[in-house]
Amino acid sequence: MSDRSHLEEISIRSIGVIDQSSLELSPGLNVLTGETGAGKTMILTALQLVLGGKSDSSLVRHGSERLLASARFSVNKAIAEIAIESGADVEDGTLILTRTVNADGKSKAVAGGANVPAATLALLADHLVEIHGQAANHQIVKPARQRELLDRFIGGDLSKALQQYQENFNGFNELKARIKAMRESVSKRDSQIAELQEFSSAWIKLKAVRGEVASTNDQISRLSSVEDLRVAADGATQAIANEEEGSLTSLGAARRFLDLAKGKDGKLDEIAGRISEGFFLIDDAARDLASYLTSLEADPGQLDTLQSRKAELAAFLKKWGSSAEPDEDLVQLAAKAKNAKIEIDDLTGGDERIAELDKELGDIKKKLLSAAEKLTQVRAAGATKLSLAVSEEIHQLSMPHTQYSVSVNSPDYKGALKESDFTLLGCDEVSMQIQGHKDGPLIALGKGASGGEMSRIMLALEVVLAATHPVGTYIFDEVDAGVGGKAAIEVGRRLAALAKHTQVIVVTHLPQVAAWADSHFVVKKSSDGTVTASDVQALDAASRVEEIARMLAGLEESTSAREHAAELLAMRGQARK
């Protein structure tokens, strides 16, 4: 298996304008181009379905019963193990994910030949693909997403600090809830103590064992029916072992007759063998019946004892149990009895016990405060590194004066913190901002960047994050929105740089981006408006010149556009030498 997963092939049938299509993708930079409405985005829509996205019957092509999308991935050993644990089958490092959606809205997910919930596909997708589209631009302006990206960039150090913090956070809240419950129960403490003591004494006296109710009922049933059981067993014994009419006598006679012809006909010998086998089986059963009859004795004393025990168990369960199955009830009551002493100690300790727990709470709060401060320090250090790294990438994308800044805002740990300052993920608020020029103001990312700038910032983020948390395949849809000229060339250059280490798939309208492709696909519509298998083509060198020329000029036969296309492709070739 390779060290990095990648998407080898995606097959599509009856999705939107696409009748049927298949793309064989390669590692490196894969570019999809084509005229508006040709179905490029539908290919990504199909992939999102395969990766556990929400199914939508409106995607099913008109006149079709269902749509089908299938993706074949080459996966490494770690991802293969995750897939196998999820119930999928991985053969020779290949994992196939499939999704079907019926016209009535019902969907089906398959991973490696096994039916799985769509959520399983989404779980696997987290390890296989990172999709960046317009939705990502909307999501990144949210503080929670910004914190998530920073934490993802920091990695292991953050995970350790967060784990330590969450252990203290959960311990603090659990102890606080326990103290609150104790204070609320003071008024009814005496009755609770009396009830727990009564229950504990009754449980100790009962000395119940696991499964005792069912076992007692079985024994009572047997001892109450001794005579019926004896009649049944004796009758069966007579039917089998009677010297004149029993089945053993008849089978023995049949064996003797067949022995006279033994060896003269194989078919008859086979029948004789079966009769002989039946004889011995019934003979064994007859011996077991005789033994059973010998052991079958009435025991009125034991029956009375069992009846008394049954009544004792029933009375206990009626008072202390629930409506659950009796033996399950006993298991739950055993757990309650185990914790009864702790509960009694909590209650009998009263204010003194609450004071002890308050002291413990104070100690845990100090640890929580220290862990929160450590978490902030780790995030702040990571924020500085992320700011520098993304700014450097942005400068490579024709934004030389723009600075990217990540700030970590936290409460004053030396002051009086409110409990509301602490959340499961710490006390920090992460904010991503940009500075348009030197000495300019820092402006929130969602407010201070145009569409084209946001696309480049997101690309820069993905490139930086890929260095710390690489995913096998990155997919960019409309990453070039609002970008043109030199900036578009630099977007293509950074995508090509990213593709040196991982597979990149890009849907683009920009020839300056398409020129950097390792594999270039064009999606065309047939005359009837559909896309069939023959309408998704991998382009050779000559065809690429024609396609990029079309993207440049919008004309099929433009000489100047072809010359410009050839120049763009030559630029890409020189950059890779």
Side-chain angles (χ1 to χ4, degrees), residues 537-563:
Q537 301 169 2
L539 302 183
D540 58 20
S543 299
R544 288 194 70 194
V545 173
E546 295 297 325
E547 172 62 8
I548 292 176
R550 180 199 65 76
M551 296 172 73
L552 284 164
L555 301 174
E556 300 292 339
E557 302 293 338
S558 171
T559 302
S560 61
R562 281 200 296 270
E563 291 174 353

PDB file of all heavy atoms in Angstrom, residues 537-563:
ATOM      1  N   GLN A 537     -13.520  13.617 -21.198  1.00  0.00           N
ATOM      2  CA  GLN A 537     -12.320  13.180 -21.913  1.00  0.00           C
ATOM      3  C   GLN A 537     -11.059  13.639 -21.205  1.00  0.00           C
ATOM      4  O   GLN A 537     -10.976  14.772 -20.722  1.00  0.00           O
ATOM      5  CB  GLN A 537     -12.328  13.742 -23.340  1.00  0.00           C
ATOM      6  CG  GLN A 537     -13.545  13.320 -24.160  1.00  0.00           C
ATOM      7  CD  GLN A 537     -13.660  14.090 -25.449  1.00  0.00           C
ATOM      8  OE1 GLN A 537     -12.810  14.929 -25.767  1.00  0.00           O
ATOM      9  NE2 GLN A 537     -14.709  13.817 -26.217  1.00  0.00           N
ATOM     10  N   ALA A 538     -10.075  12.731 -21.137  1.00  0.00           N
ATOM     11  CA  ALA A 538      -8.732  13.088 -20.689  1.00  0.00           C
ATOM     12  C   ALA A 538      -7.988  13.648 -21.892  1.00  0.00           C
ATOM     13  O   ALA A 538      -7.956  13.037 -22.966  1.00  0.00           O
ATOM     14  CB  ALA A 538      -8.021  11.858 -20.135  1.00  0.00           C
ATOM     15  N   LEU A 539      -7.424  14.832 -21.755  1.00  0.00           N
ATOM     16  CA  LEU A 539      -6.822  15.531 -22.889  1.00  0.00           C
ATOM     17  C   LEU A 539      -5.350  15.200 -23.047  1.00  0.00           C
ATOM     18  O   LEU A 539      -4.604  15.105 -22.058  1.00  0.00           O
ATOM     19  CB  LEU A 539      -6.978  17.046 -22.698  1.00  0.00           C
ATOM     20  CG  LEU A 539      -8.417  17.570 -22.542  1.00  0.00           C
ATOM     21  CD1 LEU A 539      -8.403  19.086 -22.426  1.00  0.00           C
ATOM     22  CD2 LEU A 539      -9.299  17.124 -23.698  1.00  0.00           C
ATOM     23  N   ASP A 540      -4.935  15.045 -24.308  1.00  0.00           N
ATOM     24  CA  ASP A 540      -3.509  14.930 -24.592  1.00  0.00           C
ATOM     25  C   ASP A 540      -2.947  16.335 -24.786  1.00  0.00           C
ATOM     26  O   ASP A 540      -3.661  17.342 -24.655  1.00  0.00           O
ATOM     27  CB  ASP A 540      -3.265  14.041 -25.818  1.00  0.00           C
ATOM     28  CG  ASP A 540      -3.984  14.566 -27.064  1.00  0.00           C
ATOM     29  OD1 ASP A 540      -4.342  15.766 -27.095  1.00  0.00           O
ATOM     30  OD2 ASP A 540      -4.194  13.764 -28.002  1.00  0.00           O
ATOM     31  N   ALA A 541      -1.654  16.444 -25.133  1.00  0.00           N
ATOM     32  CA  ALA A 541      -0.984  17.747 -25.228  1.00  0.00           C
ATOM     33  C   ALA A 541      -1.669  18.665 -26.230  1.00  0.00           C
ATOM     34  O   ALA A 541      -1.930  19.845 -25.956  1.00  0.00           O
ATOM     35  CB  ALA A 541       0.489  17.548 -25.591  1.00  0.00           C
ATOM     36  N   ALA A 542      -1.988  18.139 -27.412  1.00  0.00           N
ATOM     37  CA  ALA A 542      -2.603  18.971 -28.447  1.00  0.00           C
ATOM     38  C   ALA A 542      -3.998  19.418 -28.034  1.00  0.00           C
ATOM     39  O   ALA A 542      -4.396  20.582 -28.228  1.00  0.00           O
ATOM     40  CB  ALA A 542      -2.653  18.198 -29.764  1.00  0.00           C
ATOM     41  N   SER A 543      -4.767  18.492 -27.452  1.00  0.00           N
ATOM     42  CA  SER A 543      -6.129  18.820 -27.033  1.00  0.00           C
ATOM     43  C   SER A 543      -6.128  19.851 -25.910  1.00  0.00           C
ATOM     44  O   SER A 543      -7.036  20.677 -25.799  1.00  0.00           O
ATOM     45  CB  SER A 543      -6.858  17.560 -26.581  1.00  0.00           C
ATOM     46  OG  SER A 543      -6.952  16.621 -27.634  1.00  0.00           O
ATOM     47  N   ARG A 544      -5.104  19.826 -25.077  1.00  0.00           N
ATOM     48  CA  ARG A 544      -5.016  20.799 -23.987  1.00  0.00           C
ATOM     49  C   ARG A 544      -4.855  22.206 -24.543  1.00  0.00           C
ATOM     50  O   ARG A 544      -5.428  23.166 -24.017  1.00  0.00           O
ATOM     51  CB  ARG A 544      -3.849  20.470 -23.061  1.00  0.00           C
ATOM     52  CG  ARG A 544      -4.073  19.226 -22.187  1.00  0.00           C
ATOM     53  CD  ARG A 544      -3.049  19.165 -21.087  1.00  0.00           C
ATOM     54  NE  ARG A 544      -3.288  20.220 -20.106  1.00  0.00           N
ATOM     55  CZ  ARG A 544      -2.407  20.587 -19.177  1.00  0.00           C
ATOM     56  NH1 ARG A 544      -1.212  20.022 -19.149  1.00  0.00           N
ATOM     57  NH2 ARG A 544      -2.701  21.533 -18.322  1.00  0.00           N
ATOM     58  N   VAL A 545      -4.045  22.339 -25.589  1.00  0.00           N
ATOM     59  CA  VAL A 545      -3.869  23.653 -26.206  1.00  0.00           C
ATOM     60  C   VAL A 545      -5.218  24.174 -26.694  1.00  0.00           C
ATOM     61  O   VAL A 545      -5.580  25.343 -26.472  1.00  0.00           O
ATOM     62  CB  VAL A 545      -2.857  23.587 -27.367  1.00  0.00           C
ATOM     63  CG1 VAL A 545      -2.824  24.918 -28.113  1.00  0.00           C
ATOM     64  CG2 VAL A 545      -1.473  23.239 -26.849  1.00  0.00           C
ATOM     65  N   GLU A 546      -6.005  23.307 -27.330  1.00  0.00           N
ATOM     66  CA  GLU A 546      -7.300  23.715 -27.861  1.00  0.00           C
ATOM     67  C   GLU A 546      -8.263  24.111 -26.731  1.00  0.00           C
ATOM     68  O   GLU A 546      -8.972  25.111 -26.819  1.00  0.00           O
ATOM     69  CB  GLU A 546      -7.911  22.583 -28.700  1.00  0.00           C
ATOM     70  CG  GLU A 546      -7.131  22.238 -29.951  1.00  0.00           C
ATOM     71  CD  GLU A 546      -7.083  23.401 -30.931  1.00  0.00           C
ATOM     72  OE1 GLU A 546      -8.080  24.159 -31.019  1.00  0.00           O
ATOM     73  OE2 GLU A 546      -6.044  23.559 -31.608  1.00  0.00           O
ATOM     74  N   GLU A 547      -8.278  23.320 -25.649  1.00  0.00           N
ATOM     75  CA  GLU A 547      -9.200  23.595 -24.558  1.00  0.00           C
ATOM     76  C   GLU A 547      -8.826  24.890 -23.828  1.00  0.00           C
ATOM     77  O   GLU A 547      -9.693  25.712 -23.510  1.00  0.00           O
ATOM     78  CB  GLU A 547      -9.228  22.422 -23.565  1.00  0.00           C
ATOM     79  CG  GLU A 547     -10.004  22.656 -22.281  1.00  0.00           C
ATOM     80  CD  GLU A 547     -11.485  22.935 -22.456  1.00  0.00           C
ATOM     81  OE1 GLU A 547     -12.004  22.802 -23.594  1.00  0.00           O
ATOM     82  OE2 GLU A 547     -12.157  23.294 -21.464  1.00  0.00           O
ATOM     83  N   ILE A 548      -7.540  25.083 -23.568  1.00  0.00           N
ATOM     84  CA  ILE A 548      -7.121  26.304 -22.876  1.00  0.00           C
ATOM     85  C   ILE A 548      -7.350  27.518 -23.767  1.00  0.00           C
ATOM     86  O   ILE A 548      -7.732  28.598 -23.300  1.00  0.00           O
ATOM     87  CB  ILE A 548      -5.655  26.180 -22.418  1.00  0.00           C
ATOM     88  CG1 ILE A 548      -5.562  25.118 -21.314  1.00  0.00           C
ATOM     89  CG2 ILE A 548      -5.119  27.519 -21.916  1.00  0.00           C
ATOM     90  CD1 ILE A 548      -4.160  24.835 -20.831  1.00  0.00           C
ATOM     91  N   ALA A 549      -7.159  27.346 -25.079  1.00  0.00           N
ATOM     92  CA  ALA A 549      -7.454  28.436 -26.018  1.00  0.00           C
ATOM     93  C   ALA A 549      -8.936  28.793 -25.962  1.00  0.00           C
ATOM     94  O   ALA A 549      -9.315  29.975 -25.990  1.00  0.00           O
ATOM     95  CB  ALA A 549      -7.052  28.029 -27.431  1.00  0.00           C
ATOM     96  N   ARG A 550      -9.816  27.779 -25.910  1.00  0.00           N
ATOM     97  CA  ARG A 550     -11.257  28.039 -25.794  1.00  0.00           C
ATOM     98  C   ARG A 550     -11.560  28.796 -24.509  1.00  0.00           C
ATOM     99  O   ARG A 550     -12.368  29.739 -24.487  1.00  0.00           O
ATOM    100  CB  ARG A 550     -12.024  26.719 -25.800  1.00  0.00           C
ATOM    101  CG  ARG A 550     -13.548  26.907 -25.688  1.00  0.00           C
ATOM    102  CD  ARG A 550     -14.241  25.635 -25.248  1.00  0.00           C
ATOM    103  NE  ARG A 550     -13.871  25.236 -23.901  1.00  0.00           N
ATOM    104  CZ  ARG A 550     -14.323  25.814 -22.795  1.00  0.00           C
ATOM    105  NH1 ARG A 550     -15.162  26.845 -22.860  1.00  0.00           N
ATOM    106  NH2 ARG A 550     -13.940  25.377 -21.611  1.00  0.00           N
ATOM    107  N   MET A 551     -10.900  28.406 -23.393  1.00  0.00           N
ATOM    108  CA  MET A 551     -11.123  29.066 -22.121  1.00  0.00           C
ATOM    109  C   MET A 551     -10.649  30.523 -22.164  1.00  0.00           C
ATOM    110  O   MET A 551     -11.238  31.396 -21.534  1.00  0.00           O
ATOM    111  CB  MET A 551     -10.387  28.312 -21.013  1.00  0.00           C
ATOM    112  CG  MET A 551     -10.908  26.898 -20.779  1.00  0.00           C
ATOM    113  SD  MET A 551      -9.877  25.959 -19.628  1.00  0.00           S
ATOM    114  CE  MET A 551     -10.302  26.748 -18.075  1.00  0.00           C
ATOM    115  N   LEU A 552      -9.582  30.770 -22.928  1.00  0.00           N
ATOM    116  CA  LEU A 552      -9.047  32.129 -23.028  1.00  0.00           C
ATOM    117  C   LEU A 552      -9.927  33.046 -23.865  1.00  0.00           C
ATOM    118  O   LEU A 552     -10.214  34.185 -23.483  1.00  0.00           O
ATOM    119  CB  LEU A 552      -7.636  32.094 -23.631  1.00  0.00           C
ATOM    120  CG  LEU A 552      -6.497  31.635 -22.704  1.00  0.00           C
ATOM    121  CD1 LEU A 552      -5.274  31.268 -23.521  1.00  0.00           C
ATOM    122  CD2 LEU A 552      -6.166  32.745 -21.705  1.00  0.00           C
ATOM    123  N   ALA A 553     -10.356  32.523 -25.023  1.00  0.00           N
ATOM    124  CA  ALA A 553     -11.029  33.391 -25.986  1.00  0.00           C
ATOM    125  C   ALA A 553     -12.508  33.100 -26.159  1.00  0.00           C
ATOM    126  O   ALA A 553     -13.243  33.915 -26.710  1.00  0.00           O
ATOM    127  CB  ALA A 553     -10.334  33.287 -27.346  1.00  0.00           C
ATOM    128  N   GLY A 554     -12.943  31.934 -25.723  1.00  0.00           N
ATOM    129  CA  GLY A 554     -14.332  31.562 -25.954  1.00  0.00           C
ATOM    130  C   GLY A 554     -14.594  31.194 -27.395  1.00  0.00           C
ATOM    131  O   GLY A 554     -15.750  31.028 -27.798  1.00  0.00           O
ATOM    132  N   LEU A 555     -13.529  31.039 -28.184  1.00  0.00           N
ATOM    133  CA  LEU A 555     -13.661  30.710 -29.605  1.00  0.00           C
ATOM    134  C   LEU A 555     -12.948  29.396 -29.887  1.00  0.00           C
ATOM    135  O   LEU A 555     -11.944  29.066 -29.263  1.00  0.00           O
ATOM    136  CB  LEU A 555     -13.035  31.820 -30.461  1.00  0.00           C
ATOM    137  CG  LEU A 555     -13.631  33.229 -30.274  1.00  0.00           C
ATOM    138  CD1 LEU A 555     -12.806  34.236 -31.062  1.00  0.00           C
ATOM    139  CD2 LEU A 555     -15.083  33.264 -30.734  1.00  0.00           C
ATOM    140  N   GLU A 556     -13.461  28.660 -30.822  1.00  0.00           N
ATOM    141  CA  GLU A 556     -12.882  27.357 -31.131  1.00  0.00           C
ATOM    142  C   GLU A 556     -11.641  27.469 -32.021  1.00  0.00           C
ATOM    143  O   GLU A 556     -10.754  26.640 -31.957  1.00  0.00           O
ATOM    144  CB  GLU A 556     -13.933  26.484 -31.848  1.00  0.00           C
ATOM    145  CG  GLU A 556     -15.190  26.222 -31.043  1.00  0.00           C
ATOM    146  CD  GLU A 556     -14.928  25.335 -29.838  1.00  0.00           C
ATOM    147  OE1 GLU A 556     -13.914  24.622 -29.859  1.00  0.00           O
ATOM    148  OE2 GLU A 556     -15.721  25.369 -28.880  1.00  0.00           O
ATOM    149  N   GLU A 557     -11.572  28.498 -32.875  1.00  0.00           N
ATOM    150  CA  GLU A 557     -10.508  28.555 -33.881  1.00  0.00           C
ATOM    151  C   GLU A 557      -9.690  29.842 -33.793  1.00  0.00           C
ATOM    152  O   GLU A 557      -9.335  30.446 -34.795  1.00  0.00           O
ATOM    153  CB  GLU A 557     -11.128  28.440 -35.294  1.00  0.00           C
ATOM    154  CG  GLU A 557     -11.939  27.181 -35.525  1.00  0.00           C
ATOM    155  CD  GLU A 557     -11.079  25.928 -35.516  1.00  0.00           C
ATOM    156  OE1 GLU A 557      -9.866  26.046 -35.754  1.00  0.00           O
ATOM    157  OE2 GLU A 557     -11.628  24.848 -35.250  1.00  0.00           O
ATOM    158  N   SER A 558      -9.375  30.284 -32.604  1.00  0.00           N
ATOM    159  CA  SER A 558      -8.623  31.517 -32.444  1.00  0.00           C
ATOM    160  C   SER A 558      -7.125  31.227 -32.436  1.00  0.00           C
ATOM    161  O   SER A 558      -6.624  30.544 -31.536  1.00  0.00           O
ATOM    162  CB  SER A 558      -9.017  32.220 -31.135  1.00  0.00           C
ATOM    163  OG  SER A 558      -8.157  33.302 -30.887  1.00  0.00           O
ATOM    164  N   THR A 559      -6.422  31.724 -33.456  1.00  0.00           N
ATOM    165  CA  THR A 559      -4.976  31.486 -33.558  1.00  0.00           C
ATOM    166  C   THR A 559      -4.239  32.148 -32.400  1.00  0.00           C
ATOM    167  O   THR A 559      -3.352  31.545 -31.776  1.00  0.00           O
ATOM    168  CB  THR A 559      -4.439  32.038 -34.892  1.00  0.00           C
ATOM    169  OG1 THR A 559      -5.140  31.406 -35.964  1.00  0.00           O
ATOM    170  CG2 THR A 559      -2.953  31.787 -35.024  1.00  0.00           C
ATOM    171  N   SER A 560      -4.595  33.383 -32.089  1.00  0.00           N
ATOM    172  CA  SER A 560      -3.909  34.088 -31.006  1.00  0.00           C
ATOM    173  C   SER A 560      -4.151  33.402 -29.666  1.00  0.00           C
ATOM    174  O   SER A 560      -3.257  33.326 -28.814  1.00  0.00           O
ATOM    175  CB  SER A 560      -4.372  35.547 -30.943  1.00  0.00           C
ATOM    176  OG  SER A 560      -5.773  35.614 -30.682  1.00  0.00           O
ATOM    177  N   ALA A 561      -5.365  32.872 -29.477  1.00  0.00           N
ATOM    178  CA  ALA A 561      -5.668  32.176 -28.229  1.00  0.00           C
ATOM    179  C   ALA A 561      -4.842  30.900 -28.109  1.00  0.00           C
ATOM    180  O   ALA A 561      -4.358  30.547 -27.027  1.00  0.00           O
ATOM    181  CB  ALA A 561      -7.161  31.843 -28.144  1.00  0.00           C
ATOM    182  N   ARG A 562      -4.663  30.187 -29.240  1.00  0.00           N
ATOM    183  CA  ARG A 562      -3.840  28.970 -29.194  1.00  0.00           C
ATOM    184  C   ARG A 562      -2.392  29.320 -28.861  1.00  0.00           C
ATOM    185  O   ARG A 562      -1.720  28.583 -28.121  1.00  0.00           O
ATOM    186  CB  ARG A 562      -3.925  28.228 -30.527  1.00  0.00           C
ATOM    187  CG  ARG A 562      -5.209  27.411 -30.686  1.00  0.00           C
ATOM    188  CD  ARG A 562      -5.055  26.341 -31.749  1.00  0.00           C
ATOM    189  NE  ARG A 562      -4.825  26.915 -33.066  1.00  0.00           N
ATOM    190  CZ  ARG A 562      -5.801  27.234 -33.916  1.00  0.00           C
ATOM    191  NH1 ARG A 562      -7.060  27.064 -33.571  1.00  0.00           N
ATOM    192  NH2 ARG A 562      -5.520  27.751 -35.100  1.00  0.00           N
ATOM    193  N   GLU A 563      -1.915  30.427 -29.400  1.00  0.00           N
ATOM    194  CA  GLU A 563      -0.542  30.841 -29.101  1.00  0.00           C
ATOM    195  C   GLU A 563      -0.393  31.171 -27.616  1.00  0.00           C
ATOM    196  O   GLU A 563       0.598  30.813 -26.973  1.00  0.00           O
ATOM    197  CB  GLU A 563      -0.167  32.055 -29.961  1.00  0.00           C
ATOM    198  CG  GLU A 563      -0.026  31.727 -31.442  1.00  0.00           C
ATOM    199  CD  GLU A 563       0.209  32.972 -32.284  1.00  0.00           C
ATOM    200  OE1 GLU A 563       0.127  34.096 -31.718  1.00  0.00           O
ATOM    201  OE2 GLU A 563       0.460  32.830 -33.499  1.00  0.00           O
TER     202      GLU A 563
END
